[in-house]
Amino acid sequence: DVKVTQSSRYLVKRTGEKVFLECVQDMDHENMFWYRQDPGLGLRLIYFSYDVKMKEKGDIPEGYSVSREKKERFSLILESASTNQTSMYLCASSFPGASMLYTDTQYFGPGTRLTVL
Amino acid sequence: GENVEQHPSTLSVQEGDSAVIKCTYSDSASNYFPWYKQELGKRPQLIIDIRSNVGEKKDQRIAVTLNKTAKHFSLHITETQPEDSAVYFCAAMKNHGDTGRRALTFGSGTRLQVQP
């Protein structure tokens, strides 16, 4: 069974704080993704990574950065949290589509509900 | 970039009825279309997917159809049951940005409620 875990289920931070959200997967997946989920907006891609130290901007990267130092771990960083970053953050992982294990299925973590006060 | 529109935003059906959720996409280069189900308080999980070389796919009570010409795809759930109540997301995948890596663009979601 694929297991994707996130460091916290709930997080409360203050405006201006630096926030780290961490995601770990145990399936040796090369691709990892960070989304935010807001009512009526679906899941929006923030950043993704297709290899260690490699990253690519998604559709809404402003105000966020990421780090992937190890294959199994992908961190989302809010350099200076703002109230409009209050949201549910979902991490996902997958095999790359071009590999022999071609699947494209993304496996999601349980989510972190972040509140910025 | 890709834009995926999903309708309706909410859908209420009686148990045993069918439910249909529709999505349109903007980029003809998209070639993979998954559907995810998210139960309350849970993570999204893939329920069915279809690739652009196929027009229809069925898995028990769930089916997905794809019309590449019109750039729309639909989820069909027959004989709905209360446990089908959830939020359903469609998505479209294409090569993303300069690197050509594959990424999903999601629709806004449909909250399906099956009344017993």
Side-chain angles (χ1 to χ4, degrees):
Chain A
D1 250 5
V2 177
K3 195 171 180 185
V4 183
T5 58
Q6 294 183 227
S7 49
S8 307
R9 290 302 303 271
Y10 300 94
L11 209 52
V12 180
K13 295 291 181 181
R14 297 231 173 251
T15 301
E17 280 192 81
K18 191 168 185 175
V19 182
F20 292 87
L21 303 182
E22 202 163 67
C23 175
V24 178
Q25 50 91 7
D26 67 354
M27 280 300 292
D28 203 33
H29 285 172
E30 293 181 26
N31 294 342
M32 296 188 75
F33 307 83
W34 275 107
Y35 297 91
R36 63 177 282 176
Q37 181 177 13
D38 300 289
L41 296 177
L43 283 71
R44 293 180 291 165
L45 181 64
I46 304 171
Y47 266 98
F48 66 104
S49 169
Y50 46 91
D51 204 349
V52 174
K53 297 192 187 295
M54 305 305 289
K55 61 185 179 184
E56 186 158 339
K57 291 180 180 179
D59 298 317
I60 52 164
E62 297 79 18
Y64 303 94
S65 62
V66 289
S67 172
R68 189 149 180 220
E69 296 297 318
K70 293 185 177 181
K71 191 175 185 180
E72 68 271 17
R73 196 177 297 267
F74 190 35
S75 300
L76 180 70
I77 303 155
L78 287 66
E79 295 288 342
S80 177
S82 63
T83 54
N84 63 12
Q85 292 178 310
T86 292
S87 186
M88 171 68 82
Y89 290 88
L90 287 164
C91 171
S93 71
S94 73
F95 283 111
S99 77
M100 291 293 289
L101 297 166
Y102 180 70
T103 163
D104 277 327
T105 301
Q106 292 192 12
Y107 298 88
F108 285 85
T112 296
R113 183 164 295 283
L114 172 67
T115 302
V116 182
L117 301 174
Chain B
E2 176 64 279
N3 182 44
V4 178
E5 294 196 358
Q6 182 171 347
H7 299 281
S9 56
T10 59
L11 181 59
S12 183
V13 300
Q14 291 294 127
E15 184 177 356
D17 286 352
S18 295
V20 180
I21 302 170
K22 298 182 179 182
C23 289
T24 61
Y25 60 99
S26 60
D27 194 328
S28 55
S30 290
N31 55 15
Y32 172 69
F33 307 91
W35 287 86
Y36 284 82
K37 175 184 180 182
Q38 186 177 30
E39 297 177 18
L40 190 63
K42 302 278 183 69
R43 68 191 77 190
Q45 291 196 304
L46 179 76
I47 54 170
I48 196 167
D49 57 11
I50 192 167
R51 302 195 186 276
S52 57
N53 58 348
V54 175
E56 185 173 355
K57 184 176 178 181
K58 192 172 180 181
D59 182 4
Q60 299 182 7
R61 296 186 298 108
I62 293 172
V64 58
T65 58
L66 171 66
N67 183 328
K68 282 192 296 183
T69 304
K71 288 191 280 193
H72 67 69
F73 56 113
S74 301
L75 178 71
H76 305 253
I77 306 174
T78 58
E79 300 171 26
T80 54
Q81 301 167 3
E83 51 265 38
D84 293 329
S85 296
V87 178
Y88 291 81
F89 293 99
C90 64
M93 178 174 272
K94 62 182 282 287
N95 294 348
H96 181 87
D98 296 334
T99 63
R101 300 292 171 171
R102 296 166 65 76
L104 285 173
T105 299
F106 282 85
S108 54
T110 296
R111 183 173 299 279
L112 173 65
Q113 187 149 11
V114 180
Q115 309 283 355

